[in-house]
Structure formats: C-alpha cells, structure tokens
Amino acid sequence: MNTSFRRLFSAMVAIILLSFAILGSVFLMLSYRCIVQEKKDTMAEHASFVSTQLVRIMDVNLNQDDIFDASALSVAAAGAEDVLFCNLDGVIRFSYTSEEEVNVLTGTVSEEVISETLTEGVYDGMSTLGLYEKKHLVVAIPIYQSEQNGAENTLLGVLLIAANMDTFSELWNSMEFAFLATALAVLCFAFFFSWFTCRRSSKPIMEMTNLVNRFAMGEYELRVDPAYTKRKDEVGALATAFNGMADSIAASEQQRQEFVSDISHELKTPMTTIQGFADGLLDGTIPPEKERESLQLISNETRRLSRLVRRMLDASRLAAQTQSGPPQSQTQFDLNETVAKVIISLERKITQRGLDMDVQLPEASTMVWGDEDSITQVCYNLLDNAAKFAHRGTSIGFYVVPKGKKVYVTVRNIGETIPAEELPFIFDRFHKSDRSRSLDKEGVGLGLYIVKTILSGIQETITVTSQDGLTEFVFTLTRSE
C-alpha cells in the first residue's frame, strides 16, 4: 500500500540526499581550489624570498653560495618543496630538496615551462618539468641581476618551486574523510528526524481513516484521541472537526432512533384499535347493534392516522427548510388579519368546548415580516393547543403587543399546570405529558414542534411558562414598519 507516510518519507529522503550531494560537491570543489590556491601563494612567497637571496648574493659575489644554500634549504625543508634554479636553456644549475639534499636533481627543465615563465613573468600549474615521474605543483619566476648606471637588468635564469602532490593528497584525503564522516552522521540524524516527523504527521491520519471506516459501520461512540485535538496544526483542526461531525451524526442517529420509536408508538395504538374492531366485525364477536359504533371508531382512528402522516410530512418539510438556511423570500403582512382569520376558523371548536376568547389587538395594522401561511399555522397550532387543554368555562387569551422593532404574540389558557421538568421538552417531537395523553385523543405530539421549527427558521423565539394552572406561550415577530 502506497501510504502517505511512505510518499512523504521518500520525498524527504530524496530532498536530503540531493541537497547533501549538491552542497558536498560544491564544498569539496571550492575547498580543493582554496587549498591549492593557498599552497600556490605560499610557494610564490618562498620563490620571492629565495630569488631575493639569490640576486643579493650574485650582486656581491657570484661564487658565494653559502647564504643562498642555507635559505633555499630552509625553504625546501619547511615547505616540503624542491627549489631549483636553471639557466635560460632550462639546464639546472642548483637544486635543493625537502630532504635537505643539494644538487640531487639534474637535467633540463621542459621548454614549455621556461617559455611560459619568461613570456608571462610567472608560471603556476601542474607539471613533471621533464624531471619527475608524477606531476608536481610548480611555481616559477624569472631571475634578473640588476645593473648599475641605468643599464638594463640581465636575465640570469628561472627559479622554480615544486611541491609533491602526494603530501597534498594525504591532507586532502584526511579532510575528505572528515567531511564524509560528518555528513554521514548528519544524514543519519536527518533520516531519523524525517522518519519521526513523517510518522507523527501520518499516524493521526491513518488512525482517523480507521475511525471513519469503523464509524461508517455504526460505531458512533468512537472519537479521535483528545491528544490530537490539542495540537495547534492542521491535524488538530481535522481531529476537532471529526469529533464535531461524530457528535452531530451520533445526535442525529439518536434522534432518528427516537423518531422511529415515537412513530412506532403513535402508529401502534390506532392500528391496534382498527385491527381489533375490524376482526370483531369479521368474526361476529361484535353485536349488530354495536357495529355502527365500531365502524365510527375505525373511522376516527383512520382519520387520526391521516393527521399523523400529514403532520409528519409537514414537520419533515419544515426541518429541511430550516437546515437549508433562512427563507429567502419573506413578505410583509398584517398580523391582525392573520390572527382574526385563525380565531374565526377555530370559533366553532372553542364554542363547543365551552370556552371564551379574550383577544387584544392593536387598533392600527400590525405589519410584520415572514411567510403568512407559516405564521398562520403557528397561530392556529397554538390556539388549537390552548383550546384542547383549557378547563371548560375558562377564557383563552390572544394578545398582540408591538414593542420597538418586535411584535410579541401571547397565547394563554387556564388548565392543568405543566410540570417544570417537562417545560424544556415541550417543543420536542411527539412529546406529550401524561395529562395530554389522557385528555387529548386527537393530538399527535407534533403541533408545538412545528411551531418551534417555523419560528427558528426565521430567527424568531418562543417561550413557555406554566404556573398555578396558567400556561402562556409567547413568540416574537419582526416589524416591517
């Protein structure tokens, strides 16, 4: 498997090796040239020193060579170099070696070296001089004897300083070995550090990949190691995002399971009732005089199932709209007219239950922003809910109060007090208190959930309070005036 760790580590190793190869080559080449140039400069200084001694001796007495011998030998010994003096034809007159031996070299220096020295005034380069088996590093300068009374200088010959490259090669090899040993140690450290870094970078990704695969198989309790979420890099951001996603999916899965459970519960009762009475009618266990009553119960339960399905579809549609963001098209409408229409539509039901209405609306029009059909449904659900659970002979209050940029709509009734522990769940899907289950045989537990979903979709709020039998719902809308 071509993992990200292998790709990343291979790339880093390739970069390190290439960098070391380039830097090492440049360093070795420049250091070699630097050492050679330094050696040439040293040999040039030695040549200048020996030539000065030679000219001074020749000016005094051409036969007094003791001082010259001593200076030439000291230079040869100190620099591990050979000192040679030859005439213009290249014939060696004197030679001094690093072994403090005199005139051990005889013969004729190559014409090419003599010619270049006399033409250019100096020679530096690699040559056997026609005397050595191996090439030596050679620096050569012409020697002039100064003439008095303005006469031209007399060219006496050529002084040559020759250094054996074997000694130089040993020094260079030692330096090269030290460099390679150091480079190897640095490379080992770089490889280890690269491996550690790549491993640290790829390990969380591999672990999260494994978690994603297991999460997809239904293990919703899995989370990324908290140590990764504390990191201040992309891995930490990814781990935090994964855990957030996992929490959201786990919550959605729990809601889905609760939703299925609630639907199963809501469907079970009417379906059991329908099945029981239908079987009774078919097998004759229900007397003929009660058949009509049984058919009426079947019809009622069928309508209840229809309402449940319709409400579920409405709730699903509203939830999808809420998740997609705020509604893009909101219009202005008169809230007073909407409230009046809702009250008129429920007037018969309210009257049949022996209830009165206490409606307080502003005299002027109350223009608000929103979707008129959705707000109509909010008002209808709240008023219908209040009528279901209000005590007979009491009054239902419906108030619209503008305040600043908001309009506060209040729906209240007098009935059983909702326990304080149930208030936080009053807007959940299929939530019903024991009181409502015993009194409301028509409800499906989605009315208040739909109300909350609609208002949340337009960034409005709704609150509920219940104390001493007085239950009050208050929601807000934004004024358009």
Side-chain angles (χ1 to χ4, degrees):
M1 181 178 179
N2 191 16
T3 63
S4 58
F5 167 76
R6 291 182 180 178
R7 291 196 300 270
L8 186 59
F9 181 68
S10 299
M12 294 187 70
V13 168
I15 292 173
I16 292 173
L17 291 176
L18 181 61
S19 300
F20 263 88
I22 295 175
L23 292 175
S25 300
V26 173
F27 171 77
L28 293 176
M29 180 180 66
L30 292 179
S31 60
Y32 179 83
R33 290 184 178 181
C34 181
I35 292 175
V36 170
Q37 186 60 45
E38 183 179 0
K39 183 64 175 176
K40 287 181 179 179
D41 293 342
T42 302
M43 294 170 65
E45 292 177 0
H46 291 171
S48 178
F49 171 74
V50 173
S51 65
T52 300
Q53 297 295 325
L54 180 59
V55 170
R56 183 171 63 85
I57 292 173
M58 289 182 175
D59 286 342
V60 177
N61 187 345
L62 291 177
N63 296 321
Q64 293 183 357
D65 298 334
D66 294 338
I67 298 177
F68 174 70
D69 291 345
S71 61
L73 282 172
S74 64
V75 167
E81 302 159 357
D82 296 341
V83 180
L84 300 87
F85 178 69
C86 64
N87 58 24
L88 299 180
D89 295 329
V91 178
I92 297 178
R93 294 179 56 188
F94 306 103
S95 65
Y96 306 84
T97 67
S98 57
E99 288 79 11
E100 299 186 2
E101 297 182 3
V102 181
N103 293 329
V104 295
L105 292 175
T106 59
T108 303
V109 176
S110 64
E111 182 180 353
E112 179 183 356
V113 174
I114 299 298
S115 175
E116 183 174 345
T117 303
L118 297 178
T119 303
E120 302 294 335
V122 66
Y123 172 88
D124 59 1
M126 301 294 296
S127 175
T128 61
L129 297 179
L131 304 173
Y132 302 105
E133 294 181 358
K134 297 180 180 180
K135 287 187 176 181
H136 283 50
L137 181 61
V138 178
V139 173
I141 59 175
I143 301 297
Y144 295 89
Q145 182 180 15
S146 60
E147 297 289 348
Q148 299 179 353
N149 300 325
E152 294 183 356
N153 293 336
T154 303
L155 182 59
L156 301 177
V158 176
L159 179 67
L160 303 97
I161 306 293
N164 191 339
M165 294 303 295
D166 290 341
T167 304
F168 178 79
S169 297
E170 292 178 2
L171 174 64
W172 173 247
N173 291 336
S174 299
M175 184 176 180
E176 188 179 33
F177 175 79
F179 172 80
L180 293 177
T182 305
L184 181 61
V186 173
L187 281 174
C188 292
F189 174 78
F191 289 157
F192 173 77
F193 184 77
S194 300
W195 179 89
F196 176 79
T197 303
C198 295
R199 190 67 177 175
R200 187 173 184 270
S201 300
S202 61
K203 183 180 178 181
I205 298 176
M206 296 172 64
E207 291 183 0
M208 280 186 272
T209 301
N210 182 45
L211 285 179
V212 169
N213 293 330
R214 295 174 60 187
F215 199 88
M217 299 300 294
E219 299 183 45
Y220 298 116
E221 74 283 357
L222 296 176
R223 297 296 182 273
V224 177
D225 190 338
Y228 293 144
T229 61
K230 296 178 181 179
R231 291 175 53 167
K232 305 298 182 182
D233 55 8
E234 291 81 358
V235 172
L238 179 60
T240 302
F242 177 86
N243 284 347
M245 178 201 69
D247 292 338
S248 177
I249 293 177
S252 298
E253 177 63 17
Q254 183 178 1
Q255 292 177 358
R256 185 190 67 81
Q257 293 177 357
E258 293 175 354
F259 181 72
V260 172
S261 177
D262 291 337
I263 289 179
S264 300
H265 177 81
E266 293 296 332
L267 293 177
K268 181 178 180 180
T269 302
M271 291 180 67
T272 301
T273 302
I274 292 172
Q275 181 181 2
F277 281 98
D279 290 343
L281 291 172
L282 291 174
D283 59 21
T285 56
I286 296 178
E289 64 273 12
K290 292 187 176 182
E291 287 182 356
R292 182 174 181 81
E293 181 182 353
S294 299
L295 290 173
Q296 184 63 48
L297 287 173
I298 292 175
S299 177
N300 292 339
E301 292 299 322
T302 303
R303 289 191 178 93
R304 183 181 175 189
L305 282 175
S306 178
R307 288 195 302 273
L308 174 61
V309 173
R310 185 170 61 253
R311 286 296 183 90
M312 286 171 53
L313 292 175
D314 291 341
S316 177
R317 175 180 56 82
L318 291 171
Q321 291 177 352
T322 302
Q323 292 177 357
S324 63
Q328 297 180 353
S329 59
Q330 295 193 42
T331 60
Q332 303 179 65
F333 63 93
D334 187 357
L335 182 61
N336 294 347
E337 293 183 4
T338 301
V339 171
K341 293 177 182 178
V342 171
I343 294 175
I344 293 173
S345 66
L346 289 173
E347 182 179 7
R348 182 180 177 184
K349 181 181 291 188
I350 293 172
T351 302
Q352 289 177 347
R353 295 184 182 228
L355 302 172
D356 294 327
M357 285 295 303
D358 178 18
V359 181
Q360 297 181 15
L361 303 177
E363 295 182 1
S365 299
T366 306
M367 303 302 295
V368 296
W369 284 106
D371 179 70
E372 186 174 1
D373 292 339
S374 297
I375 301 305
T376 299
Q377 187 173 8
V378 169
C379 296
Y380 185 94
N381 287 1
L382 290 176
L383 186 56
D384 182 56
N385 190 71
K388 288 177 185 178
F389 303 117
H391 288 170
R392 181 174 291 274
T394 61
S395 175
I396 298 176
F398 207 125
Y399 313 125
V400 176
V401 181
K403 281 186 181 180
K405 296 181 178 180
K406 292 289 185 179
V407 175
Y408 293 84
V409 183
T410 303
V411 180
R412 63 172 59 170
N413 72 330
I414 298 176
E416 297 294 331
T417 301
I418 301 176
E421 62 271 13
E422 290 189 12
L423 289 178
F425 310 103
I426 199 72
F427 297 104
D428 290 352
R429 286 181 299 189
F430 298 109
H431 177 79
K432 290 183 179 181
S433 64
D434 293 338
R435 171 181 63 87
S436 67
R437 288 189 185 277
S438 61
L439 297 179
D440 179 23
K441 299 300 183 180
E442 299 180 355
V444 295
L446 286 172
L448 294 179
Y449 169 76
I450 292 175
V451 168
K452 177 72 172 180
T453 303
I454 291 174
L455 293 174
S456 297
I458 57 175
Q459 287 78 51
E460 300 293 349
T461 61
I462 182 170
T463 58
V464 58
T465 58
S466 184
Q467 189 174 6
D468 298 329
L470 178 63
T471 301
E472 186 175 85
F473 289 86
V474 181
F475 68 90
T476 63
L477 292 172
T478 302
R479 299 181 68 179
S480 62
E481 298 176 346

